[in-house]
Amino acid sequence: MMRGAPAVVCSVGAMLGEGPCWSVADRMLWFVDIKRAQVHRFNPATDALESWAAPAQPGWILPVDDGTLMTGLDTGLHRFDPLGGTFDLIIEVEPDVPDNRLNDATVDQAGRLWFGSMDDKEAAPTGQVYRLDRGALARADIAPVTITNGPAFSPDGATLYHVDTLARTIHAFDVAPDGSLKGHRIFARIAPDDGYPDGPTVDSEGCLWIALFGGWGVRRYSPAGELLEFIRFPVANVTKVAFGGDDLRTAYTTTARKGLSPAALIEQPHAGDLFSFGVDVPGLAMTAISIGH
């Protein structure tokens, strides 16, 4: 499936690179550095990187159907204006849980935003999954965990994948037309020696890509949960894949320096950088968040 080994396309040195999202409109890749509170935009046509300082830790950044951008900060959901570098609060999330932050997110085929929270100290099972449906925020029927990752959706939108990172477990749910969940089952488990499952992404064949934090790479699973591929990286902490390029056959991948010792950082000089590799099966274009009109 892979066409070429992962290679650095942008030297970022992110402490916790996350949330890559390909913008079809401007042919650029958005991503964040959570721990350095930065939003990044990478232009593969020019190799240029633009960066903005966020007022709090950003977990992700995604397109909205009115042409704007939305990002999840510690303080809630914000509109982000790259021209002015401003972050305007839309909805507070968990103001009563000050140790939580927002982590990972995606948009389903109906334009609903799904995102998770987590304990920033990575100790308490206070992480929840939420659904924003045209301005209405609701908690998804998923048991709380310490670190949420995902969700991700099958191409037909009928299956939701949710990652419980510390339990090294990937869950699957059936999705009803109204966004309610049922039919919970375990999709896959990651062995302790293989790292922690991080951000999930689905390609056009319905296969699930899972980045492995501390696992030196990315796995690709069939819709039935069969491990199909492992792509090894030269850095330990791989966080998430996003498919980009005009044909969606370039897998852009964020990584992290977080948790690495000084010795490990010497051995992994590209930890925290943005990588890419080619794939034969394209990904899926990110649906924009529908805010209703």
Side-chain angles (χ1 to χ4, degrees), residues 2 13 22 38 56 89 93 104 126 142 145 154 171 194 206 209-210 212 216 218 223 231 256-257 259 289:
M2 190 178 71
W22 177 257
Q38 292 179 313
L89 180 65
V93 180
D104 198 7
T126 54
I142 296 176
V145 300
S154 59
H171 301 265
D194 295 332
W209 293 73
I210 292 286
L212 298 173
W216 296 88
V218 174
I231 294 89
R257 297 167 65 87
I289 301 166

Side-chain angles (χ1 to χ4, degrees), residues 59-292:
W60 46 267
I61 183 163
L62 292 167
V64 181
D65 63 359
D66 63 358
T68 63
L69 294 160
M70 188 182 297
T71 182
L73 305 182
D74 292 2
T75 46
L77 307 182
H78 292 67
R79 288 295 187 94
F80 171 62
D81 177 10
L83 292 179
T86 55
F87 295 79
D88 297 322
L89 180 65
I90 304 168
I91 300 175
E92 279 190 303
V93 180
E94 300 182 340
D96 56 334
V97 192
D99 288 337
N100 268 17
R101 66 169 174 83
L102 303 190
N103 194 37
D104 198 7
T106 195
V107 185
D108 68 15
Q109 287 79 346
R112 295 174 294 221
L113 169 70
W114 296 73
F115 63 94
S117 63
M118 62 168 280
D119 176 20
D120 200 27
K121 298 178 181 178
E122 303 181 6
T126 54
Q128 304 280 354
V129 176
Y130 294 89
R131 180 181 68 247
L132 182 72
D133 190 350
R134 290 162 180 80
L137 184 65
R139 195 161 66 189
D141 189 16
I142 296 176
V145 300
T146 303
I147 301 177
T148 64
N149 263 295
F153 288 88
S154 59
D156 61 4
T159 302
L160 175 148
Y161 299 99
H162 168 252
V163 178
D164 179 348
T165 294
L166 290 190
R168 294 186 169 94
T169 304
I170 305 161
H171 301 265
F173 297 83
D174 297 325
V175 185
D178 65 357
S180 59
L181 305 177
K182 59 183 179 179
H184 168 251
R185 65 266 188 200
I186 301 298
F187 177 78
R189 297 184 189 274
I190 306 298
D193 290 344
D194 295 332
Y196 292 92
D198 206 320
T201 308
V202 176
D203 65 26
S204 59
E205 286 187 346
C207 292
L208 185 73
W209 293 73
I210 292 286
L212 298 173
F213 196 96
W216 296 88
V218 174
R219 287 184 173 186
R220 182 176 187 253
Y221 289 88
S222 75
E226 176 190 3
L227 177 59
L228 301 177
E229 283 186 275
F230 173 72
I231 294 89
R232 185 171 178 85
F233 277 64
V235 296
N237 298 333
V238 186
T239 57
K240 191 167 184 175
V241 169
F243 296 100
D246 290 342
D247 58 1
L248 296 176
R249 283 185 165 89
T250 300
Y252 290 102
T253 310
T254 47
T255 66
R257 297 167 65 87
K258 180 178 178 288
L260 296 178
S261 67
L265 289 171
I266 291 173
E267 294 174 354
Q268 301 173 46
H270 295 297
D273 288 345
L274 179 67
F275 287 76
S276 76
F277 58 94
V279 294
D280 292 323
V281 175
L284 298 167
M286 178 63 70
T287 303
I289 301 166
S290 177
I291 57 173

